[in-house]
């Protein structure tokens, strides 16, 4: 990963989420803004971003169905072998566990079909 350390990216996403949440536009807005701000950083970085956003949204009351489908598709189709060399073995194992928790959590959330992030 060129511009980010593994833990740094997770930490930064959570900090930005708190900042966006502080703008009093709701958690859906904050999550949507994260996806926009941290888009196209690199293949492995994008998986980390989706995982971090997924960890946040699975705690929400409802999650926009497009978010659920998008994160689920991207995380399900990512071969973890591609992260080897960019991440340490410990980071790959951690990412694997986080991805599994996010995918499980996304299967259990209530889907919101309203596309407005208020």
């Amino acid at each position: 990963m060129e511009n980010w350390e593994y833990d740094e990216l997770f930490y930064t996403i959570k900090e930005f989420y708190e900042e966006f949440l502080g703008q009093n536009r709701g958690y859906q807005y904050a999550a949507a803004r994260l996806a926009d701000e941290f888009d196209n950083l690199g293949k492995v970085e994008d998986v980390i971003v989706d995982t971090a956003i997924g960890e946040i949204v699975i705690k929400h009351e409802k999650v926009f169905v497009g978010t659920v489908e998008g994160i689920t598709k991207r995380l399900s189709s990512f071969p973890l072998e591609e992260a080897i060399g960019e991440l340490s073995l410990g980071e790959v194992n951690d990412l694997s566990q986080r991805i599994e928790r996010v995918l499980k959590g996304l299967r259990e959330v209530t889907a919101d079909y309203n596309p407005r992030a208020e």
Side-chain angles (χ1 to χ4, degrees):
M1 296 190 343
E2 283 185 37
N3 299 312
W4 297 93
E5 295 293 323
Y6 178 76
D7 290 329
E8 174 191 28
L9 189 51
F10 277 105
Y11 179 80
T12 301
I13 289 167
K14 288 177 184 170
E15 277 200 334
F16 270 72
Y17 174 74
E18 293 298 325
E19 181 181 321
F20 297 149
L21 200 55
Q23 295 174 359
N24 295 324
R25 295 193 59 196
Y27 64 84
Q28 292 172 324
Y29 167 80
R33 181 91 189 269
L34 279 177
D36 188 51
E37 290 288 324
F38 290 92
D39 189 32
N40 293 319
L41 299 179
K43 192 163 190 167
V44 174
E45 290 91 338
D46 288 348
V47 169
I48 293 170
V49 168
D50 279 340
T51 303
I53 293 172
E55 288 178 338
I56 291 167
V57 300
I58 61 174
K59 297 173 186 165
H60 291 171
E61 183 180 322
K62 291 182 179 181
V63 182
F64 177 58
V65 68
T67 301
V68 172
E69 290 171 354
I71 291 175
T72 299
K73 180 179 177 184
R74 289 185 297 273
L75 294 183
S76 296
S77 66
F78 179 73
L80 279 169
E81 305 83 49
E82 289 191 26
I84 297 172
E86 288 196 50
L87 301 175
S88 71
L89 184 56
E91 291 168 339
V92 171
N93 288 334
D94 181 68
L95 182 59
S96 174
Q97 292 171 2
R98 286 176 180 240
I99 287 172
E100 288 304 314
R101 277 193 304 267
V102 167
L103 291 173
K104 181 180 186 287
L106 290 174
R107 286 190 295 270
E108 297 172 357
V109 297
T110 301
D112 183 357
Y113 292 89
N114 180 0
R116 293 180 46 149
E118 300 171 345

